Amino acid sequence: MNFEPYPFEKLNNLLKNITPNKNYEPSVLTIGEPQFETPEFIQNSLAKNASLLKKYPKTTGEEYLREAILSFIAKRFNTNLSDEQIIPTFGTREVLFNFPQFLLFDKKNPVMAYPNPFYQIYEGAAIATRSKVIHLNLTQENNFKPLIDEDELSSCDLVILNSPNNPTSSTLSIEELGEWVKLALKYDFVLLNDECYSEIYTNEPIPSLLEAATYVGNTTFKNTIVINSISKRSSAPGLRSGFIAGDEEILAEYMKYRTYVGCASPLPLQSAAAEAWSDEAHVAASREVYKRNFQLAKEILGTEIPNATFYLWLKVNDALEFTKKLYELYNVKVLPGEFLARQSASQENPGVGFVRIALVESELKTKDALTRIKECLNG
């Protein structure tokens, strides 16, 4: 298998011969990792249950964790799932990589579609499954939303959406998601929405694909799958708690597959995760921090405040040159958009001319970094 280097490796190569300006403190705005302390009640739960390390965890997850996730889905998305319609997972990165391998194993010539630019695990899964890839290009012209081409979709086995989107911060409405659900039923492909940023919204809650399925009458969630994670929601990426939910017939077989994968979450982590999934106050507090950061960006850079995520998808003339200049003169690291995308069928890379900026620092550090970025843009 021939995998592309990860975007951060490409960035390191781009900057390796550059000495940054030491008059500034380093500012790293490249990775989507919240730079805040994991809430104390989550840490306390982890420490309190450390003795459970002596036990093997079950692949199915403990009942208390499953109940916490089901309760979260019911409260947040007004969707009541059965126990057979969810599987707790070890974060969602592993799911995005191994679920396509499970799903497409028996397909002779599998076809996957996913947004472009994208989270690189989608591409890794396509490579691992030898899938033909259809890129759903996200551009300014389509408001960074995947366009529907039924001729192409009719050949798909798996379509991955990502709303709220990394890196563009675009979101799909319940009506738009519903159209995708109807297409999944019409052409019999599995539709998966990566919803890991669903809780980092600035004003109105972002709809889930589960809600959209019910909205268009698919109350059994046939061909409909969502994944979600606690990493961004609870500033706890190291907790590795996520879930996959939806079509119970698909999940029943996927559960068998997972017993061989060996990715069950350790029991102390499950205990802490159950506490985190059950609490909303700490999430609301985090949202306010990210919202203030977006407001700062609007004041300093003139950017619009997106509906969700903590990313700025900032348009620049030459992303590679801007990234190098920003690092050399202002000691700020950002990620060129072309590292997060691939050349499309039209021979264009939709990430060219953009940089992704992760606003995951405190208000003070964010203001300082954004001010430096503005100086670089004006220089």
Side-chain angles (χ1 to χ4, degrees), residues 72 77 92 195-196 198-199 226-230 241-243 277:
F72 162 75
F77 302 118
T92 53
E195 301 182 356
C196 289
S198 69
E199 304 314 287
V226 303
I227 63 165
N228 212 325
S229 165
I230 220 162
S241 179
F243 65 80
W277 284 114

Side-chain angles (χ1 to χ4, degrees), residues 2-17:
N2 185 23
F3 295 107
E4 279 270 348
Y6 228 59
F8 308 110
E9 183 180 342
K10 293 181 179 180
L11 179 66
N12 289 339
N13 286 332
L14 179 71
L15 302 179
K16 65 182 178 182
N17 294 321

Side-chain angles (χ1 to χ4, degrees), residues 201-240:
Y201 54 84
T202 49
N203 287 306
E204 296 298 318
I206 304 301
S208 168
L209 188 65
L210 296 174
E211 293 175 280
T214 302
Y215 179 77
V216 298
N218 181 12
T219 55
T220 64
F221 308 107
K222 178 175 171 57
N223 288 6
T224 302
I225 296 289
V226 303
I227 63 165
N228 212 325
S229 165
I230 220 162
S231 298
K232 323 298 182 186
R233 178 184 183 274
S234 298
S235 300
L239 199 53
R240 311 310 305 138

Side-chain angles (χ1 to χ4, degrees), residues 313-330:
W313 189 235
L314 184 68
K315 190 169 179 59
V316 295
N317 289 328
D318 184 324
L320 297 180
E321 289 304 314
F322 176 78
T323 298
K324 290 190 289 185
K325 179 182 176 183
L326 182 64
Y327 181 57
E328 181 177 11
L329 299 183
Y330 297 96

Side-chain angles (χ1 to χ4, degrees), residues 329-357:
L329 299 183
Y330 297 96
N331 208 349
V332 177
K333 284 186 179 181
V334 295
L335 197 60
E338 53 223 79
F339 292 173
L340 298 164
R342 299 291 178 264
Q343 194 172 79
S344 66
S346 61
Q347 306 305 306
E348 295 179 352
N349 181 319
V352 168
F354 291 89
V355 292
R356 191 188 77 174
I357 302 171

Side-chain angles (χ1 to χ4, degrees), residues 150-185:
E150 292 200 34
D151 287 339
E152 287 191 319
L153 291 176
S154 64
S155 67
C156 285
D157 299 295
L158 172 63
V159 174
I160 299 177
L161 301 178
N162 177 208
S163 175
N165 183 257
N166 167 23
T168 70
S169 294
S170 66
T171 57
L172 297 175
S173 68
I174 193 168
E175 292 83 6
E176 290 169 325
L177 288 169
E179 289 303 308
W180 282 96
V181 173
K182 289 189 282 187
L183 287 167
L185 296 174

Side-chain angles (χ1 to χ4, degrees), residues 62-88:
E62 295 300 307
E63 184 177 353
Y64 55 78
L65 177 58
R66 300 174 70 89
E67 288 178 352
I69 292 172
L70 286 169
S71 179
F72 162 75
I73 294 170
K75 292 175 182 176
R76 172 63 175 84
F77 302 118
N78 195 30
T79 301
N80 293 305
L81 299 181
S82 69
D83 201 48
E84 292 73 31
Q85 290 173 313
I86 64 148
I87 300 173

